[in-house]
Amino acid sequence: EAQVTQNPRYLITVTGKKLTVTCSQNMNHEYMSWYRQDPGLGLRQIYYSMNVEVTDKGDVPEGYKVSRKEKRNFPLILESPSPNQTSLYFCASSSWRESYEQYFGPGTRLTVT
Amino acid sequence: AQSVTQPDIHITVSEGASLELRCNYSYGATPYLFWYVQSPGQGLQLLLKYFSGDTLVQGIKGFEAEFKRSQSSFNLRKPSVHWSDAAEYFCAVLGKAAGNKLTFGGGTRVLVKP
Protein backbone atom coordinates (compact mmCIF):
# COMPACT_ATOMS: atom_id res chain seq x y z
CA GLU A 1 0.00 0.00 0.00
CA ALA A 2 1.29 3.42 -0.99
CA GLN A 3 1.71 5.51 2.11
CA VAL A 4 3.60 8.09 4.12
CA THR A 5 4.36 7.07 7.68
CA GLN A 6 5.39 9.21 10.61
CA ASN A 7 6.72 8.30 14.03
CA PRO A 8 5.91 8.92 16.73
CA ARG A 9 2.25 9.86 16.39
CA TYR A 10 2.19 11.57 19.77
CA LEU A 11 5.06 13.04 21.75
CA ILE A 12 5.27 15.03 24.95
CA THR A 13 8.68 16.42 25.78
CA VAL A 14 10.39 19.15 27.77
CA THR A 15 12.04 22.33 26.62
CA GLY A 16 15.53 21.82 25.26
CA LYS A 17 15.47 18.04 24.85
CA LYS A 18 16.45 17.18 21.30
CA LEU A 19 13.97 15.10 19.34
CA THR A 20 13.49 13.63 15.88
CA VAL A 21 10.26 12.90 14.07
CA THR A 22 10.71 10.38 11.32
CA CYS A 23 8.96 10.38 7.97
CA SER A 24 9.12 7.64 5.38
CA GLN A 25 7.38 7.11 2.03
CA ASN A 26 7.24 4.01 -0.15
CA MET A 27 6.23 5.63 -3.44
CA ASN A 28 9.70 6.57 -4.70
CA HIS A 29 8.71 10.24 -4.63
CA GLU A 30 11.36 12.86 -5.25
CA TYR A 31 9.67 15.62 -3.30
CA MET A 32 9.09 15.61 0.45
CA SER A 33 7.98 18.33 2.78
CA TRP A 34 7.19 19.10 6.42
CA TYR A 35 4.28 21.24 7.59
CA ARG A 36 3.00 22.38 10.93
CA GLN A 37 -0.68 22.96 11.58
CA ASP A 38 -1.88 25.53 14.09
CA PRO A 39 -5.49 26.63 14.69
CA GLY A 40 -6.61 29.35 12.29
CA LEU A 41 -3.33 29.29 10.38
CA GLY A 42 -3.85 26.21 8.24
CA LEU A 43 -0.69 24.31 7.37
CA ARG A 44 2.59 26.13 6.99
CA GLN A 45 5.63 24.68 5.30
CA ILE A 46 8.72 24.18 7.46
CA TYR A 47 11.23 22.60 5.08
CA TYR A 48 11.10 20.75 1.81
CA SER A 49 13.35 18.54 -0.27
CA MET A 50 13.35 18.28 -4.05
CA ASN A 51 15.50 15.15 -3.99
CA VAL A 52 18.25 13.36 -2.07
CA GLU A 53 20.70 15.81 -0.49
CA VAL A 54 18.62 18.79 -1.69
CA THR A 55 16.71 20.64 1.02
CA ASP A 56 15.42 24.19 1.40
CA LYS A 57 13.58 26.37 3.87
CA GLY A 58 9.86 26.86 3.80
CA ASP A 59 7.90 29.61 5.52
CA VAL A 60 8.66 28.75 9.15
CA PRO A 61 12.06 27.00 9.36
CA GLU A 62 13.36 28.56 12.60
CA GLY A 63 14.13 25.97 15.24
CA TYR A 64 14.01 23.01 12.86
CA LYS A 65 16.49 20.98 10.86
CA VAL A 66 16.03 18.31 8.21
CA SER A 67 18.15 15.90 6.23
CA ARG A 68 17.56 13.82 3.11
CA LYS A 69 20.19 11.12 2.92
CA GLU A 70 17.87 8.57 1.35
CA LYS A 71 15.02 9.09 -1.05
CA ARG A 72 12.41 7.46 1.18
CA ASN A 73 13.24 9.22 4.48
CA PHE A 74 12.97 12.84 5.54
CA PRO A 75 13.37 13.26 9.32
CA LEU A 76 12.49 16.49 11.13
CA ILE A 77 14.88 17.44 13.91
CA LEU A 78 14.21 19.83 16.77
CA GLU A 79 17.60 20.48 18.35
CA SER A 80 16.24 22.46 21.31
CA PRO A 81 12.43 22.37 21.34
CA SER A 82 10.51 25.26 22.83
CA PRO A 83 6.83 25.54 23.85
CA ASN A 84 6.02 27.55 20.69
CA GLN A 85 6.82 24.43 18.69
CA THR A 86 3.86 22.65 20.23
CA SER A 87 1.85 21.80 17.15
CA LEU A 88 0.54 19.12 14.81
CA TYR A 89 3.15 18.14 12.23
CA PHE A 90 2.57 16.58 8.84
CA CYS A 91 4.99 15.06 6.39
CA ALA A 92 4.07 14.89 2.71
CA SER A 93 5.54 13.55 -0.51
CA SER A 94 4.88 13.87 -4.21
CA SER A 95 6.34 13.21 -7.62
CA TRP A 96 6.16 15.99 -10.17
CA ARG A 97 6.95 13.47 -12.89
CA GLU A 98 3.51 11.94 -12.37
CA SER A 99 1.34 14.43 -10.56
CA TYR A 100 1.71 17.36 -8.24
CA GLU A 101 -0.59 15.82 -5.68
CA GLN A 102 1.00 15.65 -2.26
CA TYR A 103 0.33 12.60 -0.10
CA PHE A 104 0.21 13.29 3.61
CA GLY A 105 1.24 11.23 6.59
CA PRO A 106 -1.11 10.76 9.57
CA GLY A 107 0.44 13.55 11.61
CA THR A 108 2.51 13.84 14.78
CA ARG A 109 1.10 15.77 17.70
CA LEU A 110 3.96 17.34 19.63
CA THR A 111 3.66 19.01 23.02
CA VAL A 112 6.65 20.84 24.48
CA THR A 113 6.34 21.78 28.16
CA ALA B 1 4.05 35.47 -3.27
CA GLN B 2 1.27 32.95 -3.42
CA SER B 3 -1.51 33.00 -0.85
CA VAL B 4 -4.91 31.48 -0.14
CA THR B 5 -7.82 33.00 1.76
CA GLN B 6 -10.75 31.09 3.14
CA PRO B 7 -13.08 33.82 4.40
CA ASP B 8 -15.31 31.57 6.50
CA ILE B 9 -13.75 30.13 9.64
CA HIS B 10 -16.87 28.20 10.64
CA ILE B 11 -19.96 27.14 8.72
CA THR B 12 -22.97 25.35 10.18
CA VAL B 13 -25.27 23.54 7.79
CA SER B 14 -28.25 21.24 8.26
CA GLU B 15 -27.99 17.67 7.09
CA GLY B 16 -29.37 17.42 3.56
CA ALA B 17 -28.78 21.08 2.79
CA SER B 18 -26.28 22.32 0.23
CA LEU B 19 -22.80 23.50 1.16
CA GLU B 20 -20.46 26.00 -0.45
CA LEU B 21 -17.00 26.81 0.89
CA ARG B 22 -15.20 29.83 -0.46
CA CYS B 23 -11.58 29.98 -1.51
CA ASN B 24 -9.67 32.87 -3.04
CA TYR B 25 -6.09 32.54 -4.17
CA SER B 26 -3.28 34.78 -5.26
CA TYR B 27 -0.72 33.41 -7.69
CA GLY B 28 1.07 34.99 -10.62
CA ALA B 29 0.76 32.16 -13.10
CA THR B 30 -1.76 29.43 -13.85
CA PRO B 31 -2.50 27.86 -10.48
CA TYR B 32 -2.67 24.26 -9.48
CA LEU B 33 -5.47 24.15 -6.90
CA PHE B 34 -6.51 21.59 -4.34
CA TRP B 35 -9.15 20.97 -1.71
CA TYR B 36 -8.29 18.74 1.25
CA VAL B 37 -10.50 17.51 4.06
CA GLN B 38 -9.39 16.73 7.59
CA SER B 39 -11.76 14.76 9.78
CA PRO B 40 -11.33 15.10 13.54
CA GLY B 41 -8.06 13.53 14.65
CA GLN B 42 -7.19 12.48 11.13
CA GLY B 43 -4.71 13.42 8.45
CA LEU B 44 -5.48 15.23 5.23
CA GLN B 45 -7.37 13.59 2.40
CA LEU B 46 -7.45 15.02 -1.10
CA LEU B 47 -10.99 15.81 -2.25
CA LEU B 48 -10.21 17.16 -5.70
CA LYS B 49 -7.68 19.10 -7.74
CA TYR B 50 -7.58 21.46 -10.68
CA PHE B 51 -4.63 21.66 -13.04
CA SER B 52 -6.17 22.71 -16.36
CA GLY B 53 -9.09 22.08 -18.68
CA ASP B 54 -12.70 21.95 -17.58
CA THR B 55 -13.17 24.52 -14.85
CA LEU B 56 -15.74 22.40 -13.00
CA VAL B 57 -13.99 19.48 -11.35
CA GLN B 58 -15.54 16.53 -9.63
CA GLY B 59 -14.04 14.95 -6.56
CA ILE B 60 -14.67 12.23 -4.07
CA LYS B 61 -17.58 12.06 -1.63
CA GLY B 62 -19.87 13.99 -3.97
CA PHE B 63 -17.88 17.23 -3.86
CA GLU B 64 -17.19 19.51 -6.81
CA ALA B 65 -15.32 22.76 -7.25
CA GLU B 66 -15.36 25.50 -9.86
CA PHE B 67 -12.28 27.42 -10.94
CA LYS B 68 -13.00 31.04 -11.86
CA ARG B 69 -9.90 32.78 -13.10
CA SER B 70 -11.55 36.19 -13.30
CA GLN B 71 -12.45 36.02 -9.61
CA SER B 72 -9.32 34.13 -8.48
CA SER B 73 -11.64 31.69 -6.79
CA PHE B 74 -11.94 27.94 -6.39
CA ASN B 75 -15.11 27.35 -4.37
CA LEU B 76 -16.08 23.91 -3.13
CA ARG B 77 -19.68 22.70 -3.25
CA LYS B 78 -21.79 19.75 -2.26
CA PRO B 79 -25.51 19.55 -3.11
CA SER B 80 -26.60 17.57 -0.05
CA VAL B 81 -24.50 17.34 3.09
CA HIS B 82 -24.25 14.20 5.22
CA TRP B 83 -23.41 14.15 8.92
CA SER B 84 -20.08 12.53 8.02
CA ASP B 85 -19.06 15.69 6.14
CA ALA B 86 -18.42 17.46 9.44
CA ALA B 87 -14.72 18.23 9.20
CA GLU B 88 -12.22 20.96 8.44
CA TYR B 89 -11.64 21.83 4.81
CA PHE B 90 -8.50 23.36 3.39
CA CYS B 91 -7.96 25.01 0.04
CA ALA B 92 -4.39 25.08 -1.28
CA VAL B 93 -2.44 26.46 -4.23
CA LEU B 94 0.74 24.87 -5.54
CA GLY B 95 3.53 27.10 -6.81
CA LYS B 96 5.46 25.17 -9.44
CA ALA B 97 7.92 28.01 -9.71
CA ALA B 98 8.39 28.06 -5.94
CA GLY B 99 9.78 24.61 -5.36
CA ASN B 100 6.38 22.96 -5.64
CA LYS B 101 5.38 24.80 -2.51
CA LEU B 102 1.84 24.10 -1.34
CA THR B 103 0.28 27.10 0.38
CA PHE B 104 -2.83 26.48 2.44
CA GLY B 105 -5.69 28.66 3.50
CA GLY B 106 -6.60 28.91 7.17
CA GLY B 107 -9.32 26.30 6.83
CA THR B 108 -13.10 26.24 7.23
CA ARG B 109 -14.64 24.09 9.92
CA VAL B 110 -17.99 22.62 8.91
CA LEU B 111 -20.54 21.62 11.51
CA VAL B 112 -23.54 19.54 10.42
CA LYS B 113 -26.82 19.86 12.32
CA PRO B 114 -29.16 16.87 12.37
Tab-separated table of all heavy atoms in Angstrom, chain A residues 33-84:
chain	number	residue	atom	x	y	z
A	33	SER	N	8.154	17.047	2.121
A	33	SER	CA	7.978	18.333	2.782
A	33	SER	C	7.447	18.116	4.194
A	33	SER	O	6.773	17.115	4.472
A	33	SER	CB	6.991	19.185	1.979
A	33	SER	OG	6.801	20.452	2.563
A	34	TRP	N	7.738	19.077	5.072
A	34	TRP	CA	7.187	19.100	6.425
A	34	TRP	C	6.342	20.346	6.605
A	34	TRP	O	6.729	21.448	6.164
A	34	TRP	CB	8.296	19.105	7.481
A	34	TRP	CG	8.827	17.760	7.807
A	34	TRP	CD1	9.993	17.192	7.389
A	34	TRP	CD2	8.202	16.789	8.657
A	34	TRP	NE1	10.134	15.940	7.917
A	34	TRP	CE2	9.040	15.660	8.699
A	34	TRP	CE3	7.010	16.761	9.384
A	34	TRP	CZ2	8.738	14.522	9.441
A	34	TRP	CZ3	6.708	15.642	10.118
A	34	TRP	CH2	7.571	14.529	10.145
A	35	TYR	N	5.178	20.150	7.267
A	35	TYR	CA	4.278	21.243	7.589
A	35	TYR	C	3.944	21.182	9.075
A	35	TYR	O	3.948	20.113	9.679
A	35	TYR	CB	2.957	21.114	6.818
A	35	TYR	CG	3.100	21.142	5.316
A	35	TYR	CD1	3.340	19.966	4.602
A	35	TYR	CD2	2.973	22.327	4.607
A	35	TYR	CE1	3.459	19.980	3.226
A	35	TYR	CE2	3.091	22.352	3.231
A	35	TYR	CZ	3.337	21.176	2.549
A	35	TYR	OH	3.466	21.189	1.180
A	36	ARG	N	3.599	22.339	9.612
A	36	ARG	CA	2.997	22.376	10.930
A	36	ARG	C	1.615	22.998	10.809
A	36	ARG	O	1.390	23.904	9.993
A	36	ARG	CB	3.857	23.133	11.941
A	36	ARG	CG	4.135	24.569	11.637
A	36	ARG	CD	4.933	25.228	12.788
A	36	ARG	NE	4.128	25.420	13.979
A	36	ARG	CZ	4.598	25.845	15.156
A	36	ARG	NH1	5.886	26.107	15.286
A	36	ARG	NH2	3.805	25.992	16.187
A	37	GLN	N	0.698	22.476	11.606
A	37	GLN	CA	-0.678	22.962	11.582
A	37	GLN	C	-1.028	23.579	12.920
A	37	GLN	O	-0.920	22.929	13.968
A	37	GLN	CB	-1.654	21.827	11.268
A	37	GLN	CG	-3.098	22.289	11.187
A	37	GLN	CD	-4.077	21.176	10.926
A	37	GLN	OE1	-3.731	19.993	10.982
A	37	GLN	NE2	-5.310	21.524	10.611
A	38	ASP	N	-1.461	24.820	12.888
A	38	ASP	CA	-1.885	25.529	14.087
A	38	ASP	C	-3.267	26.122	13.838
A	38	ASP	O	-3.566	26.562	12.722
A	38	ASP	CB	-0.871	26.627	14.424
A	38	ASP	CG	0.527	26.071	14.639
A	38	ASP	OD1	0.718	25.399	15.665
A	38	ASP	OD2	1.400	26.285	13.776
A	39	PRO	N	-4.103	26.166	14.868
A	39	PRO	CA	-5.487	26.629	14.692
A	39	PRO	C	-5.563	27.997	14.015
A	39	PRO	O	-4.883	28.939	14.421
A	39	PRO	CB	-6.018	26.681	16.121
A	39	PRO	CG	-5.198	25.664	16.854
A	39	PRO	CD	-3.831	25.749	16.252
A	40	GLY	N	-6.399	28.088	12.998
A	40	GLY	CA	-6.613	29.347	12.288
A	40	GLY	C	-5.537	29.708	11.281
A	40	GLY	O	-5.710	30.655	10.507
A	41	LEU	N	-4.442	28.972	11.284
A	41	LEU	CA	-3.333	29.289	10.376
A	41	LEU	C	-3.193	28.275	9.260
A	41	LEU	O	-2.318	28.424	8.389
A	41	LEU	CB	-2.014	29.376	11.159
A	41	LEU	CG	-1.951	30.453	12.231
A	41	LEU	CD1	-0.624	30.378	12.975
A	41	LEU	CD2	-2.151	31.834	11.628
A	42	GLY	N	-3.988	27.247	9.242
A	42	GLY	CA	-3.845	26.213	8.235
A	42	GLY	C	-2.534	25.464	8.423
A	42	GLY	O	-2.023	25.337	9.536
A	43	LEU	N	-1.986	24.995	7.336
A	43	LEU	CA	-0.694	24.310	7.372
A	43	LEU	C	0.373	25.227	6.790
A	43	LEU	O	0.164	25.829	5.735
A	43	LEU	CB	-0.738	23.018	6.556
A	43	LEU	CG	-1.423	21.817	7.200
A	43	LEU	CD1	-2.927	21.907	7.090
A	43	LEU	CD2	-0.915	20.517	6.577
A	44	ARG	N	1.492	25.302	7.461
A	44	ARG	CA	2.590	26.127	6.987
A	44	ARG	C	3.820	25.253	6.761
A	44	ARG	O	4.147	24.405	7.588
A	44	ARG	CB	2.898	27.235	7.992
A	44	ARG	CG	1.775	28.260	8.137
A	44	ARG	CD	2.106	29.271	9.211
A	44	ARG	NE	2.115	28.655	10.538
A	44	ARG	CZ	2.600	29.233	11.623
A	44	ARG	NH1	3.139	30.442	11.534
A	44	ARG	NH2	2.558	28.616	12.778
A	45	GLN	N	4.494	25.510	5.674
A	45	GLN	CA	5.628	24.676	5.298
A	45	GLN	C	6.863	25.033	6.133
A	45	GLN	O	7.229	26.201	6.273
A	45	GLN	CB	5.940	24.839	3.817
A	45	GLN	CG	6.945	23.835	3.285
A	45	GLN	CD	7.227	24.044	1.819
A	45	GLN	OE1	7.576	25.135	1.388
A	45	GLN	NE2	7.063	23.000	1.028
A	46	ILE	N	7.523	23.987	6.647
A	46	ILE	CA	8.716	24.185	7.460
A	46	ILE	C	9.973	24.052	6.584
A	46	ILE	O	10.795	24.972	6.507
A	46	ILE	CB	8.755	23.153	8.602
A	46	ILE	CG1	7.499	23.246	9.467
A	46	ILE	CG2	10.003	23.355	9.461
A	46	ILE	CD1	7.363	22.114	10.473
A	47	TYR	N	10.130	22.905	5.994
A	47	TYR	CA	11.227	22.604	5.083
A	47	TYR	C	10.702	21.699	3.975
A	47	TYR	O	9.701	21.010	4.154
A	47	TYR	CB	12.366	21.868	5.811
A	47	TYR	CG	13.429	22.746	6.393
A	47	TYR	CD1	13.359	23.137	7.729
A	47	TYR	CD2	14.521	23.149	5.642
A	47	TYR	CE1	14.342	23.944	8.284
A	47	TYR	CE2	15.513	23.954	6.196
A	47	TYR	CZ	15.416	24.340	7.512
A	47	TYR	OH	16.407	25.130	8.062
A	48	TYR	N	11.421	21.688	2.855
A	48	TYR	CA	11.096	20.755	1.805
A	48	TYR	C	12.376	20.235	1.166
A	48	TYR	O	13.460	20.809	1.343
A	48	TYR	CB	10.168	21.378	0.756
A	48	TYR	CG	10.774	22.505	-0.059
A	48	TYR	CD1	11.342	22.263	-1.302
A	48	TYR	CD2	10.735	23.810	0.418
A	48	TYR	CE1	11.881	23.303	-2.052
A	48	TYR	CE2	11.273	24.853	-0.326
A	48	TYR	CZ	11.843	24.597	-1.553
A	48	TYR	OH	12.369	25.622	-2.295
A	49	SER	N	12.215	19.154	0.404
A	49	SER	CA	13.348	18.542	-0.268
A	49	SER	C	12.920	18.129	-1.668
A	49	SER	O	11.942	17.407	-1.834
A	49	SER	CB	13.821	17.317	0.510
A	49	SER	OG	14.764	16.579	-0.248
A	50	MET	N	13.666	18.611	-2.662
A	50	MET	CA	13.347	18.277	-4.045
A	50	MET	C	13.902	16.908	-4.432
A	50	MET	O	13.412	16.282	-5.382
A	50	MET	CB	13.902	19.337	-4.984
A	50	MET	CG	13.398	20.735	-4.693
A	50	MET	SD	11.714	21.000	-5.267
A	50	MET	CE	12.038	21.504	-6.947
A	51	ASN	N	14.922	16.461	-3.720
A	51	ASN	CA	15.501	15.149	-3.992
A	51	ASN	C	16.566	14.861	-2.933
A	51	ASN	O	16.805	15.681	-2.035
A	51	ASN	CB	16.096	15.096	-5.408
A	51	ASN	CG	15.924	13.730	-6.051
A	51	ASN	OD1	16.023	12.709	-5.368
A	51	ASN	ND2	15.669	13.710	-7.329
A	52	VAL	N	17.226	13.741	-3.049
A	52	VAL	CA	18.251	13.361	-2.074
A	52	VAL	C	19.327	14.446	-2.008
A	52	VAL	O	19.781	14.953	-3.039
A	52	VAL	CB	18.882	12.009	-2.465
A	52	VAL	CG1	20.017	11.662	-1.519
A	52	VAL	CG2	17.829	10.914	-2.467
A	53	GLU	N	19.677	14.809	-0.782
A	53	GLU	CA	20.705	15.808	-0.494
A	53	GLU	C	20.332	17.220	-0.948
A	53	GLU	O	21.194	18.107	-0.947
A	53	GLU	CB	22.059	15.408	-1.116
A	53	GLU	CG	22.600	14.067	-0.666
A	53	GLU	CD	23.048	14.064	0.790
A	53	GLU	OE1	22.940	15.104	1.471
A	53	GLU	OE2	23.505	13.008	1.270
A	54	VAL	N	19.080	17.450	-1.285
A	54	VAL	CA	18.623	18.791	-1.688
A	54	VAL	C	17.481	19.205	-0.774
A	54	VAL	O	16.379	18.644	-0.856
A	54	VAL	CB	18.147	18.816	-3.153
A	54	VAL	CG1	17.691	20.240	-3.527
A	54	VAL	CG2	19.242	18.334	-4.087
A	55	THR	N	17.752	20.162	0.112
A	55	THR	CA	16.708	20.643	1.023
A	55	THR	C	16.682	22.163	1.000
A	55	THR	O	17.682	22.807	0.674
A	55	THR	CB	16.938	20.169	2.467
A	55	THR	OG1	18.165	20.726	2.949
A	55	THR	CG2	17.000	18.655	2.541
A	56	ASP	N	15.537	22.727	1.377
A	56	ASP	CA	15.419	24.186	1.404
A	56	ASP	C	14.369	24.591	2.421
A	56	ASP	O	13.491	23.794	2.802
A	56	ASP	CB	15.059	24.731	0.027
A	56	ASP	CG	15.580	26.147	-0.177
A	56	ASP	OD1	15.976	26.789	0.825
A	56	ASP	OD2	15.589	26.611	-1.322
A	57	LYS	N	14.483	25.847	2.861
A	57	LYS	CA	13.580	26.366	3.873
A	57	LYS	C	12.209	26.664	3.290
A	57	LYS	O	12.075	27.121	2.161
A	57	LYS	CB	14.161	27.643	4.480
A	57	LYS	CG	15.476	27.453	5.201
A	57	LYS	CD	16.015	28.786	5.700
A	57	LYS	CE	17.344	28.593	6.420
A	57	LYS	NZ	17.900	29.895	6.881
A	58	GLY	N	11.202	26.441	4.135
A	58	GLY	CA	9.860	26.858	3.803
A	58	GLY	C	9.554	28.182	4.463
A	58	GLY	O	10.422	29.042	4.608
A	59	ASP	N	8.333	28.336	4.934
A	59	ASP	CA	7.898	29.606	5.521
A	59	ASP	C	8.291	29.767	6.983
A	59	ASP	O	8.477	30.880	7.446
A	59	ASP	CB	6.379	29.734	5.413
A	59	ASP	CG	5.934	29.861	3.976
A	59	ASP	OD1	6.623	30.549	3.195
A	59	ASP	OD2	4.891	29.259	3.624
A	60	VAL	N	8.405	28.674	7.712
A	60	VAL	CA	8.663	28.746	9.152
A	60	VAL	C	9.764	27.788	9.566
A	60	VAL	O	9.560	26.871	10.354
A	60	VAL	CB	7.371	28.479	9.961
A	60	VAL	CG1	6.412	29.639	9.847
A	60	VAL	CG2	6.699	27.181	9.510
A	61	PRO	N	11.006	27.978	9.098
A	61	PRO	CA	12.057	27.004	9.356
A	61	PRO	C	12.787	27.161	10.699
A	61	PRO	O	13.535	26.257	11.101
A	61	PRO	CB	13.034	27.291	8.208
A	61	PRO	CG	12.883	28.766	7.965
A	61	PRO	CD	11.415	29.050	8.203
A	62	GLU	N	12.571	28.292	11.397
A	62	GLU	CA	13.357	28.559	12.598
A	62	GLU	C	13.124	27.502	13.660
A	62	GLU	O	11.979	27.203	14.018
A	62	GLU	CB	13.009	29.943	13.158
A	62	GLU	CG	13.383	31.114	12.259
A	62	GLU	CD	12.411	31.300	11.104
A	62	GLU	OE1	11.273	30.800	11.197
A	62	GLU	OE2	12.800	31.921	10.104
A	63	GLY	N	14.217	26.959	14.175
A	63	GLY	CA	14.134	25.971	15.242
A	63	GLY	C	14.070	24.535	14.747
A	63	GLY	O	13.971	23.611	15.554
A	64	TYR	N	14.108	24.345	13.452
A	64	TYR	CA	14.015	23.011	12.861
A	64	TYR	C	15.215	22.730	11.960
A	64	TYR	O	15.817	23.638	11.419
A	64	TYR	CB	12.737	22.880	12.013
A	64	TYR	CG	11.465	23.184	12.734
A	64	TYR	CD1	10.903	24.470	12.675
A	64	TYR	CD2	10.804	22.209	13.479
A	64	TYR	CE1	9.727	24.764	13.336
A	64	TYR	CE2	9.621	22.502	14.142
A	64	TYR	CZ	9.100	23.784	14.058
A	64	TYR	OH	7.932	24.081	14.727
A	65	LYS	N	15.516	21.446	11.833
A	65	LYS	CA	16.494	20.979	10.855
A	65	LYS	C	15.924	19.765	10.150
A	65	LYS	O	15.067	19.055	10.701
A	65	LYS	CB	17.807	20.580	11.547
A	65	LYS	CG	18.664	21.735	11.999
A	65	LYS	CD	19.901	21.231	12.738
A	65	LYS	CE	20.725	20.252	11.956
A	65	LYS	NZ	21.948	19.839	12.682
A	66	VAL	N	16.425	19.505	8.947
A	66	VAL	CA	16.029	18.315	8.214
A	66	VAL	C	17.260	17.735	7.528
A	66	VAL	O	18.296	18.394	7.418
A	66	VAL	CB	14.956	18.596	7.142
A	66	VAL	CG1	13.634	19.015	7.764
A	66	VAL	CG2	15.454	19.647	6.148
A	67	SER	N	17.122	16.511	7.067
A	67	SER	CA	18.150	15.904	6.233
A	67	SER	C	17.465	14.972	5.248
A	67	SER	O	16.369	14.466	5.506
A	67	SER	CB	19.166	15.138	7.080
A	67	SER	OG	18.570	14.006	7.673
A	68	ARG	N	18.114	14.735	4.122
A	68	ARG	CA	17.561	13.820	3.114
A	68	ARG	C	18.722	12.993	2.564
A	68	ARG	O	19.257	13.256	1.492
A	68	ARG	CB	16.868	14.613	1.998
A	68	ARG	CG	16.128	13.732	1.013
A	68	ARG	CD	14.717	13.522	1.371
A	68	ARG	NE	14.009	12.648	0.468
A	68	ARG	CZ	13.384	13.051	-0.656
A	68	ARG	NH1	13.431	14.320	-1.007
A	68	ARG	NH2	12.748	12.187	-1.410
A	69	LYS	N	19.081	11.989	3.315
A	69	LYS	CA	20.191	11.122	2.916
A	69	LYS	C	19.722	9.975	2.024
A	69	LYS	O	20.507	9.406	1.253
A	69	LYS	CB	20.887	10.572	4.150
A	69	LYS	CG	21.604	11.645	4.971
A	69	LYS	CD	22.359	11.035	6.132
A	69	LYS	CE	23.254	12.045	6.827
A	69	LYS	NZ	22.521	13.206	7.337
A	70	GLU	N	18.469	9.623	2.178
A	70	GLU	CA	17.870	8.575	1.350
A	70	GLU	C	16.582	9.122	0.760
A	70	GLU	O	15.936	9.976	1.369
A	70	GLU	CB	17.532	7.348	2.187
A	70	GLU	CG	18.665	6.756	2.969
A	70	GLU	CD	18.131	5.785	4.008
A	70	GLU	OE1	17.598	6.247	5.036
A	70	GLU	OE2	18.225	4.579	3.782
A	71	LYS	N	16.197	8.578	-0.376
A	71	LYS	CA	15.017	9.094	-1.055
A	71	LYS	C	13.758	8.884	-0.222
A	71	LYS	O	12.852	9.718	-0.226
A	71	LYS	CB	14.860	8.403	-2.406
A	71	LYS	CG	13.948	9.125	-3.374
A	71	LYS	CD	14.043	8.498	-4.737
A	71	LYS	CE	13.296	9.307	-5.761
A	71	LYS	NZ	13.396	8.745	-7.114
A	72	ARG	N	13.648	7.791	0.490
A	72	ARG	CA	12.408	7.462	1.178
A	72	ARG	C	12.239	8.175	2.515
A	72	ARG	O	11.144	8.257	3.033
A	72	ARG	CB	12.299	5.959	1.371
A	72	ARG	CG	13.371	5.351	2.258
A	72	ARG	CD	13.220	3.838	2.345
A	72	ARG	NE	11.982	3.488	3.014
A	72	ARG	CZ	11.065	2.678	2.498
A	72	ARG	NH1	11.220	2.153	1.293
A	72	ARG	NH2	9.972	2.370	3.168
A	73	ASN	N	13.314	8.683	3.118
A	73	ASN	CA	13.240	9.217	4.480
A	73	ASN	C	13.528	10.718	4.537
A	73	ASN	O	14.430	11.213	3.854
A	73	ASN	CB	14.236	8.488	5.387
A	73	ASN	CG	13.899	7.017	5.540
A	73	ASN	OD1	12.723	6.643	5.582
A	73	ASN	ND2	14.924	6.189	5.610
A	74	PHE	N	12.796	11.394	5.417
A	74	PHE	CA	12.965	12.836	5.545
A	74	PHE	C	12.675	13.219	7.007
A	74	PHE	O	11.610	13.734	7.347
A	74	PHE	CB	12.009	13.559	4.594
A	74	PHE	CG	12.235	15.032	4.445
A	74	PHE	CD1	13.506	15.555	4.283
A	74	PHE	CD2	11.156	15.914	4.435
A	74	PHE	CE1	13.710	16.912	4.128
A	74	PHE	CE2	11.350	17.281	4.275
A	74	PHE	CZ	12.627	17.768	4.126
A	75	PRO	N	13.614	12.990	7.901
A	75	PRO	CA	13.374	13.263	9.324
A	75	PRO	C	13.374	14.755	9.640
A	75	PRO	O	14.111	15.530	9.032
A	75	PRO	CB	14.543	12.549	10.008
A	75	PRO	CG	15.616	12.502	8.969
A	75	PRO	CD	14.921	12.363	7.658
A	76	LEU	N	12.564	15.123	10.618
A	76	LEU	CA	12.491	16.489	11.125
A	76	LEU	C	13.142	16.500	12.504
A	76	LEU	O	12.767	15.724	13.379
A	76	LEU	CB	11.039	16.940	11.233
A	76	LEU	CG	10.796	18.349	11.767
A	76	LEU	CD1	11.266	19.394	10.753
A	76	LEU	CD2	9.315	18.551	12.083
A	77	ILE	N	14.097	17.386	12.677
A	77	ILE	CA	14.878	17.438	13.915
A	77	ILE	C	14.632	18.755	14.626
A	77	ILE	O	14.723	19.830	14.016
A	77	ILE	CB	16.388	17.288	13.605
A	77	ILE	CG1	16.634	15.982	12.836
A	77	ILE	CG2	17.214	17.336	14.890
A	77	ILE	CD1	17.891	16.002	12.009
A	78	LEU	N	14.316	18.654	15.917
A	78	LEU	CA	14.207	19.825	16.773
A	78	LEU	C	15.356	19.743	17.754
A	78	LEU	O	15.351	18.931	18.675
A	78	LEU	CB	12.862	19.869	17.491
A	78	LEU	CG	11.642	20.277	16.660
A	78	LEU	CD1	11.236	19.184	15.674
A	78	LEU	CD2	10.488	20.657	17.564
A	79	GLU	N	16.382	20.566	17.539
A	79	GLU	CA	17.599	20.477	18.352
A	79	GLU	C	17.332	20.913	19.804
A	79	GLU	O	17.839	20.316	20.730
A	79	GLU	CB	18.686	21.376	17.747
A	79	GLU	CG	19.173	20.939	16.377
A	79	GLU	CD	20.421	20.065	16.449
A	79	GLU	OE1	20.916	19.839	17.580
A	79	GLU	OE2	20.886	19.600	15.408
A	80	SER	N	16.550	21.948	19.967
A	80	SER	CA	16.241	22.461	21.305
A	80	SER	C	14.790	22.944	21.308
A	80	SER	O	14.522	24.145	21.177
A	80	SER	CB	17.201	23.604	21.675
A	80	SER	OG	16.944	24.061	22.984
A	81	PRO	N	13.857	22.012	21.460
A	81	PRO	CA	12.430	22.369	21.342
A	81	PRO	C	12.012	23.415	22.367
A	81	PRO	O	12.508	23.441	23.507
A	81	PRO	CB	11.719	21.042	21.598
A	81	PRO	CG	12.733	20.000	21.352
A	81	PRO	CD	14.056	20.597	21.722
A	82	SER	N	11.080	24.251	21.945
A	82	SER	CA	10.511	25.260	22.833
A	82	SER	C	8.989	25.132	22.785
A	82	SER	O	8.436	24.558	21.842
A	82	SER	CB	10.943	26.657	22.401
A	82	SER	OG	10.465	26.934	21.095
A	83	PRO	N	8.298	25.672	23.796
A	83	PRO	CA	6.831	25.540	23.846
A	83	PRO	C	6.122	26.054	22.592
A	83	PRO	O	5.055	25.541	22.237
A	83	PRO	CB	6.461	26.356	25.087
A	83	PRO	CG	7.647	26.213	25.977
A	83	PRO	CD	8.836	26.243	25.053
A	84	ASN	N	6.684	27.046	21.895
A	84	ASN	CA	6.016	27.552	20.694
A	84	ASN	C	6.118	26.589	19.508
A	84	ASN	O	5.578	26.859	18.429
A	84	ASN	CB	6.512	28.947	20.308
A	84	ASN	CG	7.966	28.972	19.907
A	84	ASN	OD1	8.591	27.933	19.684
A	84	ASN	ND2	8.538	30.169	19.801
